[in-house]
Amino acid sequence: MKLIINGDSIEFSEEQNHIYQLLCHLQMEQRIVIVELNGSIIAKQAYETTLLSDGDRIEIVHFVGGG
Amino acid sequence: MRSPLRIGPHSFESRLLLGTGKFPDFDIQRKAVEVSKTEILTFAIRRMNVFEPTQPNFLESLDLNKYTLLPNTAGASTAEEAVRIARLAKASELCDMIKVEVIGDAKTLLPDPLETYRACEILLDEGFIVLPYISDDVILARRLQELGVHAVMPGASPIGTGLGLLNPHHLTFIIEQATVPVIVDAGIGTPSDAAKAMELGADAVLLNTAVSGAKDPIKMAEAMKWAVEAGRLGYEAGRIPMKRYASASSPLEGMST
């Protein structure tokens, strides 16, 4: 399936279709990140239960230097 | 006994808040943060580079028991954008404070007062500890504290300019009527600027570029620590009144002739 992650279209396997699996695939499961799915923030506790489907828009953000 | 800085439910020894942007490298930044003795660090929220997931991240290298995070809503130009960024920051479960920064003008980076007020209203409703970045407008500061914000953060001068306190008179208007901490934010260039802000009675100073952009950021971070502390002590000690003419410090009597 095709996911739009931070504005980029990325092909992702149909079998691994949870947020947690996506983060593992991107090597980000240990990082401090916040995930938004189609405009809704996903709580950390829901990463393993939130299903992804074709065409989903995902934002993955983190803390960067700023004043 | 030094009085602590209290913001909402939080209490701090240090009255210096440090931004984390634009440091030459993480090593210098870590040392600068350490010598500054700051307890509050600001951050911005941005997209992760999903194609480079192993890139180092400054926040992840910190002992988060030692620092309270103050994420900002930089990049927002409307209340809705600011609220979205604030919610993202809080969803990290690492912080409950938010620096509301809603920029109204790209050239001066001055804050939009109406959008800032609207964002604060929504975020207070949602239980955030809200610290709005504002211009040095005493009426806006008062309206925001009536709304329930936990601190007000008037700028000394435009962000990143290092112009120092352009209108100390207006800052004192804000300080004198304040019922919440006043944190002078933005535009600080030198240790004397920071000390001056504290002498005026500001509760704290937030700065970034003055340290990160200095020739020696670590040295400047330490200078800022002393400046904020000296300014605060001077304020608590109470300055002497100014006079037009001299008064001798040495006794006028008992001169040996």
Side-chain angles (χ1 to χ4, degrees):
Chain A
M1 66 182 157
K2 198 184 270 182
L3 302 174
I4 314 291
I5 304 176
N6 288 355
D8 287 310
S9 182
I10 294 176
E11 202 57 48
F12 189 63
S13 120
E14 297 279 349
E15 294 83 55
Q16 301 183 314
N17 54 1
H18 292 101
I19 298 255
Y20 181 73
Q21 288 161 334
L22 171 67
L23 291 177
C24 290
H25 177 76
L26 296 170
Q27 297 174 269
M28 286 181 186
E29 75 280 9
Q30 301 293 332
R31 307 297 301 268
I32 297 175
V33 297
I34 306 111
V35 179
E36 200 184 59
L37 172 61
N38 299 323
S40 302
I41 294 169
I42 306 300
K44 292 193 184 308
Q45 304 87 297
Y47 282 180
E48 294 188 41
T49 52
T50 305
L51 280 166
L52 297 171
S53 48
D54 193 50
D56 276 348
R57 281 183 305 107
I58 296 153
E59 289 287 318
I60 304 175
V61 301
H62 66 156
F63 289 78
V64 301
Chain B
M1 183 61 197
R2 313 256 175 104
S3 52
L5 168 67
R6 290 184 204 283
I7 304 171
H10 304 286
S11 181
F12 306 96
E13 297 294 316
S14 167
R15 290 175 179 271
L16 172 60
L17 288 73
L18 198 60
T20 57
K22 300 186 290 187
F23 277 82
D25 62 57
F26 283 166
D27 190 46
I28 290 175
Q29 183 167 13
R30 239 186 314 279
K31 288 177 182 146
V33 166
E34 207 170 304
V35 299
S36 76
K37 297 282 185 240
T38 187
E39 295 167 272
I40 306 175
L41 292 168
T42 65
F43 286 90
I45 302 293
R46 290 292 180 273
R47 276 178 169 170
M48 183 104 184
N49 183 348
V50 292
F51 302 108
E52 234 182 289
T54 53
Q55 61 190 326
N57 175 284
F58 183 67
L59 178 134
E60 289 174 353
S61 73
L62 287 172
D63 175 0
L64 292 178
N65 297 314
K66 270 174 71 180
Y67 300 102
T68 299
L69 308 182
L70 176 57
N72 65 36
T73 65
S77 54
T78 65
E80 285 69 27
E81 287 167 2
V83 167
R84 172 170 176 257
I85 297 170
R87 287 174 183 156
L88 286 167
K90 201 178 185 185
S92 71
E93 300 175 2
L94 297 174
C95 48
D96 59 0
M97 299 206 295
I98 188 77
K99 169 177 164 177
V100 176
E101 179 176 345
V102 189
I103 298 304
D105 174 56
K107 197 168 176 183
T108 60
L109 296 181
L110 288 171
D112 182 321
L114 301 182
E115 294 298 313
T116 300
Y117 187 92
R118 281 211 305 128
C120 288
E121 206 166 19
I122 299 166
L123 293 169
L124 285 166
D125 261 355
E126 296 187 11
F128 283 82
I129 307 300
V130 179
L131 296 79
Y133 163 61
I134 58 172
S135 297
D136 56 4
D137 177 343
V138 65
I139 312 302
L140 178 62
R142 194 169 65 211
R143 292 290 297 267
L144 283 164
Q145 76 190 18
E146 283 165 5
L147 189 63
V149 299
H150 301 83
V152 289
M153 305 211 291
S157 48
I159 296 171
T161 60
L163 289 170
L165 278 62
L166 291 183
N167 200 339
H169 199 60
H170 274 195
L171 288 176
T172 61
F173 289 163
I174 295 177
I175 290 164
E176 282 165 14
Q177 59 78 56
T179 55
V180 295
V182 177
I183 302 169
V184 171
D185 177 11
I188 298 289
T190 64
S192 59
D193 294 337
K196 182 71 185 167
M198 295 305 292
E199 281 177 31
L200 291 177
D203 295 279
V205 165
L206 196 174
L207 52 88
N208 185 339
T209 314
V211 166
S212 66
K215 202 166 73 186
D216 184 338
I218 303 167
K219 212 170 251 185
M220 188 59 87
E222 186 176 358
M224 289 299 184
K225 179 195 76 164
W226 293 120
V228 167
E229 217 164 298
R232 178 64 189 183
L233 279 175
Y235 170 74
E236 287 182 8
R239 63 151 301 152
I240 59 164
M242 286 193 250
K243 290 190 290 197
R244 268 170 65 76
Y245 293 104
S247 62
S249 305
S250 309
L252 298 173
E253 300 83 35
M255 287 287 292
S256 171
T257 52

